[in-house]
CSV table of all heavy atoms in Angstrom, one decimal:
chain,number,residue,atom,x,y,z
A,1522,THR,N,-188.6,-5.2,-85.0
A,1522,THR,CA,-187.3,-4.8,-84.5
A,1522,THR,C,-187.4,-3.3,-84.2
A,1522,THR,O,-187.9,-2.5,-85.1
A,1522,THR,CB,-186.3,-5.1,-85.5
A,1522,THR,OG1,-186.3,-6.5,-85.8
A,1522,THR,CG2,-184.9,-4.7,-85.1
A,1523,PRO,N,-186.8,-2.8,-83.1
A,1523,PRO,CA,-186.8,-1.3,-82.9
A,1523,PRO,C,-186.3,-0.5,-84.0
A,1523,PRO,O,-185.3,-0.9,-84.7
A,1523,PRO,CB,-185.9,-1.2,-81.6
A,1523,PRO,CG,-186.1,-2.5,-80.9
A,1523,PRO,CD,-186.2,-3.5,-82.0
A,1524,GLN,N,-186.9,0.6,-84.3
A,1524,GLN,CA,-186.6,1.4,-85.5
A,1524,GLN,C,-185.2,1.9,-85.6
A,1524,GLN,O,-184.6,1.9,-86.7
A,1524,GLN,CB,-187.6,2.6,-85.5
A,1524,GLN,CG,-187.6,3.4,-86.9
A,1524,GLN,CD,-188.0,2.5,-88.0
A,1524,GLN,OE1,-189.0,1.7,-87.9
A,1524,GLN,NE2,-187.3,2.5,-89.1
A,1525,HIS,N,-184.5,2.2,-84.5
A,1525,HIS,CA,-183.2,2.7,-84.6
A,1525,HIS,C,-182.2,1.6,-85.1
A,1525,HIS,O,-181.2,1.9,-85.7
A,1525,HIS,CB,-182.7,3.3,-83.2
A,1525,HIS,CG,-182.4,2.3,-82.2
A,1525,HIS,ND1,-183.5,1.8,-81.4
A,1525,HIS,CD2,-181.3,1.7,-81.7
A,1525,HIS,CE1,-183.0,0.9,-80.5
A,1525,HIS,NE2,-181.7,0.9,-80.7
A,1526,ILE,N,-182.5,0.4,-84.8
A,1526,ILE,CA,-181.7,-0.7,-85.3
A,1526,ILE,C,-181.9,-0.9,-86.8
A,1526,ILE,O,-181.0,-1.1,-87.6
A,1526,ILE,CB,-182.0,-2.0,-84.5
A,1526,ILE,CG1,-181.8,-1.8,-83.0
A,1526,ILE,CG2,-181.2,-3.2,-85.1
A,1526,ILE,CD1,-182.3,-3.0,-82.2
A,1527,VAL,N,-183.2,-0.8,-87.2
A,1527,VAL,CA,-183.5,-0.9,-88.7
A,1527,VAL,C,-182.9,0.2,-89.4
A,1527,VAL,O,-182.3,0.0,-90.5
A,1527,VAL,CB,-185.1,-0.9,-88.9
A,1527,VAL,CG1,-185.4,-0.9,-90.3
A,1527,VAL,CG2,-185.7,-2.1,-88.2
A,1528,ASP,N,-182.9,1.4,-88.9
A,1528,ASP,CA,-182.4,2.6,-89.5
A,1528,ASP,C,-180.9,2.4,-89.7
A,1528,ASP,O,-180.3,2.8,-90.8
A,1528,ASP,CB,-182.6,3.8,-88.7
A,1528,ASP,CG,-184.1,4.3,-88.7
A,1528,ASP,OD1,-184.8,3.8,-89.6
A,1528,ASP,OD2,-184.5,5.0,-87.9
A,1529,LYS,N,-180.2,1.8,-88.7
A,1529,LYS,CA,-178.7,1.6,-88.9
A,1529,LYS,C,-178.4,0.6,-90.0
A,1529,LYS,O,-177.5,0.8,-90.7
A,1529,LYS,CB,-178.1,1.2,-87.5
A,1529,LYS,CG,-176.6,0.9,-87.6
A,1529,LYS,CD,-175.8,2.1,-88.1
A,1529,LYS,CE,-175.8,3.2,-87.1
A,1529,LYS,NZ,-174.9,4.3,-87.5
A,1530,LEU,N,-179.2,-0.4,-90.1
A,1530,LEU,CA,-179.1,-1.4,-91.2
A,1530,LEU,C,-179.2,-0.7,-92.5
A,1530,LEU,O,-178.4,-0.9,-93.4
A,1530,LEU,CB,-180.1,-2.5,-91.0
A,1530,LEU,CG,-180.1,-3.5,-92.2
A,1530,LEU,CD1,-178.9,-4.4,-92.1
A,1530,LEU,CD2,-181.4,-4.3,-92.2
A,1531,VAL,N,-180.3,0.1,-92.7
A,1531,VAL,CA,-180.6,0.8,-93.9
A,1531,VAL,C,-179.4,1.7,-94.3
A,1531,VAL,O,-179.0,1.8,-95.5
A,1531,VAL,CB,-181.9,1.5,-93.9
A,1531,VAL,CG1,-182.1,2.4,-95.1
A,1531,VAL,CG2,-183.1,0.5,-93.7
A,1532,GLU,N,-179.0,2.4,-93.3
A,1532,GLU,CA,-177.8,3.4,-93.5
A,1532,GLU,C,-176.6,2.6,-94.0
A,1532,GLU,O,-175.9,3.0,-95.0
A,1532,GLU,CB,-177.6,4.1,-92.3
A,1532,GLU,CG,-176.3,5.0,-92.3
A,1532,GLU,CD,-175.9,5.5,-90.9
A,1532,GLU,OE1,-176.8,5.7,-90.0
A,1532,GLU,OE2,-174.7,5.6,-90.7
A,1533,THR,N,-176.3,1.5,-93.3
A,1533,THR,CA,-175.0,0.8,-93.6
A,1533,THR,C,-175.0,0.1,-94.9
A,1533,THR,O,-174.0,0.0,-95.6
A,1533,THR,CB,-174.7,-0.2,-92.5
A,1533,THR,OG1,-174.8,0.5,-91.2
A,1533,THR,CG2,-173.4,-0.8,-92.6
A,1714,LEU,N,-179.7,-12.0,-79.8
A,1714,LEU,CA,-180.4,-10.7,-79.9
A,1714,LEU,C,-181.9,-11.0,-80.4
A,1714,LEU,O,-182.7,-10.1,-80.5
A,1714,LEU,CB,-179.8,-9.8,-80.9
A,1714,LEU,CG,-178.3,-9.3,-80.6
A,1714,LEU,CD1,-177.9,-8.2,-81.6
A,1714,LEU,CD2,-178.1,-9.0,-79.2
A,1717,THR,N,-184.3,-10.5,-77.2
A,1717,THR,CA,-184.1,-9.2,-76.5
A,1717,THR,C,-184.5,-8.0,-77.4
A,1717,THR,O,-185.1,-7.0,-76.9
A,1717,THR,CB,-182.6,-9.1,-76.2
A,1717,THR,OG1,-182.2,-10.2,-75.4
A,1717,THR,CG2,-182.3,-7.8,-75.4
A,1718,TYR,N,-184.1,-8.0,-78.6
A,1718,TYR,CA,-184.4,-6.9,-79.5
A,1718,TYR,C,-185.4,-7.3,-80.7
A,1718,TYR,O,-185.5,-6.5,-81.6
A,1718,TYR,CB,-183.1,-6.4,-80.2
A,1718,TYR,CG,-182.1,-5.8,-79.2
A,1718,TYR,CD1,-181.1,-6.6,-78.7
A,1718,TYR,CD2,-182.2,-4.5,-78.7
A,1718,TYR,CE1,-180.2,-6.1,-77.7
A,1718,TYR,CE2,-181.4,-4.0,-77.8
A,1718,TYR,CZ,-180.3,-4.8,-77.3
A,1718,TYR,OH,-179.4,-4.2,-76.4
A,1719,SER,N,-186.1,-8.4,-80.5
A,1719,SER,CA,-187.0,-8.8,-81.5
A,1719,SER,C,-186.3,-8.9,-82.9
A,1719,SER,O,-186.8,-8.3,-83.9
A,1719,SER,CB,-188.3,-7.9,-81.6
A,1719,SER,OG,-188.9,-7.9,-80.3
A,1720,MET,N,-185.2,-9.6,-83.0
A,1720,MET,CA,-184.4,-9.7,-84.2
A,1720,MET,C,-184.3,-11.2,-84.6
A,1720,MET,O,-183.1,-11.6,-85.0
A,1720,MET,CB,-183.1,-9.1,-84.0
A,1720,MET,CG,-183.1,-7.6,-83.8
A,1720,MET,SD,-181.5,-6.9,-83.3
A,1720,MET,CE,-180.5,-7.2,-84.7
A,1723,TRP,N,-182.8,-12.0,-88.1
A,1723,TRP,CA,-181.5,-11.4,-88.4
A,1723,TRP,C,-180.3,-12.3,-88.1
A,1723,TRP,O,-179.2,-12.2,-88.6
A,1723,TRP,CB,-181.3,-10.1,-87.5
A,1723,TRP,CG,-182.3,-9.0,-87.7
A,1723,TRP,CD1,-183.6,-9.1,-87.6
A,1723,TRP,CD2,-182.0,-7.7,-88.0
A,1723,TRP,NE1,-184.2,-7.9,-87.8
A,1723,TRP,CE2,-183.2,-7.0,-88.1
A,1723,TRP,CE3,-180.8,-6.9,-88.2
A,1723,TRP,CZ2,-183.3,-5.6,-88.3
A,1723,TRP,CZ3,-180.9,-5.6,-88.5
A,1723,TRP,CH2,-182.1,-4.9,-88.6
A,1752,PRO,N,-173.8,-5.3,-92.7
A,1752,PRO,CA,-174.8,-4.3,-92.2
A,1752,PRO,C,-175.6,-4.9,-91.0
A,1752,PRO,O,-176.0,-4.1,-90.1
A,1752,PRO,CB,-175.7,-4.1,-93.4
A,1752,PRO,CG,-174.8,-4.3,-94.6
A,1752,PRO,CD,-173.9,-5.4,-94.2
A,1753,ILE,N,-175.8,-6.2,-91.0
A,1753,ILE,CA,-176.5,-6.8,-89.8
A,1753,ILE,C,-175.6,-6.6,-88.6
A,1753,ILE,O,-176.1,-6.3,-87.5
A,1753,ILE,CB,-176.9,-8.2,-90.1
A,1753,ILE,CG1,-178.0,-8.3,-91.1
A,1753,ILE,CG2,-177.3,-8.9,-88.8
A,1753,ILE,CD1,-178.4,-9.7,-91.5
A,1755,VAL,N,-173.4,-4.4,-88.0
A,1755,VAL,CA,-173.3,-3.0,-87.6
A,1755,VAL,C,-174.6,-2.6,-86.9
A,1755,VAL,O,-174.6,-1.9,-85.8
A,1755,VAL,CB,-173.1,-2.1,-88.8
A,1755,VAL,CG1,-173.2,-0.6,-88.5
A,1755,VAL,CG2,-171.7,-2.3,-89.5
A,1756,ALA,N,-175.7,-3.0,-87.4
A,1756,ALA,CA,-177.0,-2.8,-86.7
A,1756,ALA,C,-177.1,-3.4,-85.4
A,1756,ALA,O,-177.6,-2.9,-84.4
A,1756,ALA,CB,-178.2,-3.2,-87.6
A,1757,ALA,N,-176.5,-4.6,-85.2
A,1757,ALA,CA,-176.5,-5.3,-83.9
A,1757,ALA,C,-175.6,-4.6,-83.0
A,1757,ALA,O,-175.9,-4.5,-81.8
A,1757,ALA,CB,-176.0,-6.7,-84.1
A,1758,THR,N,-174.5,-3.9,-83.5
A,1758,THR,CA,-173.7,-3.1,-82.6
A,1758,THR,C,-174.5,-1.9,-82.1
A,1758,THR,O,-174.4,-1.6,-80.9
A,1758,THR,CB,-172.5,-2.6,-83.4
A,1758,THR,OG1,-171.8,-3.7,-83.9
A,1758,THR,CG2,-171.5,-1.8,-82.5
A,1759,ALA,N,-175.3,-1.3,-83.0
A,1759,ALA,CA,-176.1,-0.2,-82.6
A,1759,ALA,C,-177.2,-0.6,-81.5
A,1759,ALA,O,-177.5,0.1,-80.6
A,1759,ALA,CB,-176.8,0.4,-83.8
A,1760,ALA,N,-177.7,-1.9,-81.6
A,1760,ALA,CA,-178.6,-2.4,-80.7
A,1760,ALA,C,-177.9,-2.5,-79.3
A,1760,ALA,O,-178.5,-2.0,-78.3
A,1760,ALA,CB,-179.1,-3.7,-81.1
A,1761,LEU,N,-176.8,-3.1,-79.2
A,1761,LEU,CA,-176.1,-3.3,-77.9
A,1761,LEU,C,-175.6,-2.0,-77.3
A,1761,LEU,O,-175.6,-1.9,-76.1
A,1761,LEU,CB,-174.9,-4.2,-78.1
A,1761,LEU,CG,-175.3,-5.7,-78.4
A,1761,LEU,CD1,-174.1,-6.5,-78.9
A,1761,LEU,CD2,-175.9,-6.4,-77.2
A,1767,CYS,N,-186.2,0.2,-75.4
A,1767,CYS,CA,-186.9,-0.8,-76.2
A,1767,CYS,C,-186.9,-2.2,-75.5
A,1767,CYS,O,-187.9,-2.9,-75.7
A,1767,CYS,CB,-186.2,-0.9,-77.6
A,1767,CYS,SG,-184.5,-1.4,-77.6
Side-chain angles (χ1 to χ4, degrees):
T1522 304
Q1524 191 60 45
H1525 70 281
I1526 302 172
V1527 176
D1528 290 343
K1529 179 56 71 172
L1530 173 74
V1531 172
E1532 173 194 328
T1533 308
L1714 302 192
T1717 303
Y1718 294 99
S1719 301
M1720 296 171 65
W1723 299 56
I1753 289 178
V1755 173
T1758 304
L1761 289 166
C1767 59

